[in-house]
Amino acid sequence: MTTPPMLAFAGQQAQAARDVNTASLCRISQETVQDIVLRTMEIFQLLRNMQLPNGVTYHPSTHQDRLGKLQEHLRMLSVLFRKLRLVYDKCNENCTGLDPVTPEQLIPYVEEDGSSRHNERSASQARPATEERGEILEVTKKLKQKNQQLKQIMDQLRNLIWEINSMLAVRN
């Protein structure tokens, strides 16, 4: 018996939804937060422009339209907050087995006296970073030397051209 194409496609989508990684969930949550901020700004814009119907030349139909828009924005805002909560719960579920690492442990720190301050686990990460920094400093030093040599050569060429031009001017 074969599976109808629509059911197979729906099954693939369900499997893909379960296999969403934490990074894509974070991207989705970032977009959701941006949508929440946008909707909130629109709500404040509507509230700022909305006047109370206190008899001042204000049409009740316009008030009802704005009130409907405001309610729609509030409904969408609650939907976005529910979506954000679902993504947050899914991220927490995906990260339950991970070892919590503080940001301080990820950054190698070198004190003024030259000693390093980090734990044993990050010591292996700090050595390559220190070696890389040393290489960068060495390359920078060599680059400055080469730039200085090129500057001297350019100065010598400029002086030579000046002298040649001076001799040609004296000859004429």
Side-chain angles (χ1 to χ4, degrees):
M1 178 184 277
T2 61
T3 308
M6 287 303 288
L7 289 177
F9 181 70
Q12 290 172 352
Q13 280 185 332
Q15 180 65 28
R18 276 184 252 130
D19 292 340
V20 175
N21 64 10
T22 307
S24 62
L25 287 175
C26 289
R27 183 185 50 79
I28 290 169
S29 64
Q30 179 184 5
E31 292 170 357
T32 305
V33 168
Q34 289 172 349
D35 288 343
I36 287 171
V37 169
L38 180 69
R39 291 285 180 171
T40 305
M41 289 173 49
E42 290 174 357
I43 287 172
F44 282 121
Q45 183 71 25
L46 281 171
L47 288 174
R48 188 177 67 189
N49 292 336
M50 188 178 277
Q51 298 175 358
L52 295 175
N54 57 4
V56 178
T57 62
Y58 194 70
H59 299 291
S61 62
T62 307
H63 176 71
Q64 291 301 324
D65 290 342
R66 289 185 180 170
L67 186 61
K69 286 181 184 178
L70 181 62
Q71 289 173 345
E72 175 64 23
H73 282 304
L74 289 173
R75 186 188 64 74
M76 270 308 292
L77 197 60
S78 68
V79 168
L80 288 171
F81 272 111
R82 277 186 255 136
K83 178 181 175 183
L84 186 62
R85 183 61 181 185
L86 289 172
V87 171
Y88 174 78
D89 291 339
K90 185 67 176 171
C91 282
N92 278 342
E93 178 184 314
N94 288 348
C95 295
T96 53
L98 297 178
D99 233 359
V101 177
T102 61
E104 290 82 16
Q105 292 174 332
L106 297 175
I107 301 171
Y109 179 76
V110 178
E111 293 183 4
E112 289 181 16
D113 62 355
S115 63
S116 296
R117 177 178 59 115
H118 43 71
N119 61 13
E120 293 299 321
R121 194 168 116 188
S122 64
S124 62
Q125 296 172 350
R127 286 189 186 100
T130 306
E131 291 171 4
E132 183 177 333
R133 184 167 190 252
E135 290 174 8
I136 290 172
L137 290 174
E138 182 181 330
V139 168
T140 304
K141 186 177 178 182
K142 287 180 181 179
L143 184 64
K144 285 182 181 180
Q145 289 174 348
K146 290 292 182 182
N147 283 343
Q148 188 66 30
Q149 289 174 353
L150 285 173
K151 185 177 182 238
Q152 289 173 353
I153 291 171
M154 287 173 26
D155 287 341
Q156 290 172 354
L157 281 174
R158 189 179 301 117
N159 289 336
L160 180 65
I161 291 172
W162 181 266
E163 290 175 6
I164 291 173
N165 286 337
S166 297
M167 286 198 268
L168 288 175
V170 169
R171 184 193 291 173
N172 292 337

